[in-house]
Amino acid sequence: MNMEFIGSIEKIEKGIYAILMIMLVLVLIAAIIDLIVILFESLVNISPLMLESHELITVLGAFLLVLIGVELLDTIKAYFHENVIHVEIVVLLAIIAVARKVILLDPTGMNGFEYGFELMSIGVIIVGLGAGYYLIKKAGVKIEPMRLTKD
């Protein structure tokens, strides 16, 4: 009975991951369409054949958002197939998200103290994520999926 209950929970969990993957694919399609529209408007309508600095920042931000979504989809897909969360991919995803934040950082609405504090905070996050990634790679730990079947 206990194994049947765990099996039922695992099926529900797989269903939830499948729904999340479908929803994430829809979000990624919308994000790619948005990126195409932003790029088209920037290159054709606003400044023909040239990107200004604020347009470039907008395009790079949208591009990194799509990249984050693709990496997140890869993480969910890996868990769906292997029942393993790849910590390395999650840390890389966080590093990409912080890089996006740095690229999109707009200091115009902040005073000097707020801007400096935000930059120091981002620096601490980057150092922490970098150290975590280094330790994960150095450890080289491979996590095998749990098997709940009877032998």
Side-chain angles (χ1 to χ4, degrees), residues 35-141:
L35 175 61
I36 291 168
V37 168
I38 290 170
L39 189 59
F40 179 77
E41 286 181 356
S42 295
L43 286 175
V44 176
N45 295 336
I46 299 173
S47 56
L49 301 177
M50 210 168 120
L51 289 176
E52 295 178 13
S53 61
H54 68 279
E55 296 169 334
L56 186 61
I57 289 171
T58 303
V59 169
L60 285 175
F63 180 81
L64 286 173
L65 188 61
V66 171
L67 183 62
I68 290 168
V70 169
E71 290 297 324
L72 185 58
L73 182 64
D74 190 43
T75 302
I76 294 172
K77 189 172 58 174
Y79 183 79
F80 188 75
H81 289 296
E82 303 169 17
N83 288 340
V84 174
I85 295 177
H86 295 276
V87 180
E88 179 182 344
I89 295 173
V90 174
V91 172
L92 283 174
L93 187 61
I95 291 170
I96 294 169
V98 172
R100 182 179 184 273
K101 172 66 178 170
V102 169
I103 290 171
L104 297 179
L105 187 61
D106 185 14
T108 56
M110 299 182 228
N111 64 33
F113 177 77
E114 291 171 338
Y115 184 63
F117 188 75
E118 186 156 351
L119 285 178
M120 287 188 297
S121 302
I122 290 171
V124 169
I125 292 169
I126 290 172
V127 168
L129 287 171
Y133 184 74
Y134 171 77
L135 291 173
I136 289 168
K137 291 300 272 185
K138 186 170 177 83
V141 177

Side-chain angles (χ1 to χ4, degrees), residues 15-40:
I16 291 170
Y17 278 110
I19 292 169
L20 283 174
M21 285 174 56
I22 292 168
M23 291 177 5
L24 187 56
V25 166
L26 294 175
V27 169
L28 282 172
I29 291 170
I32 288 173
I33 291 170
D34 186 47
L35 175 61
I36 291 168
V37 168
I38 290 170
L39 189 59
F40 179 77

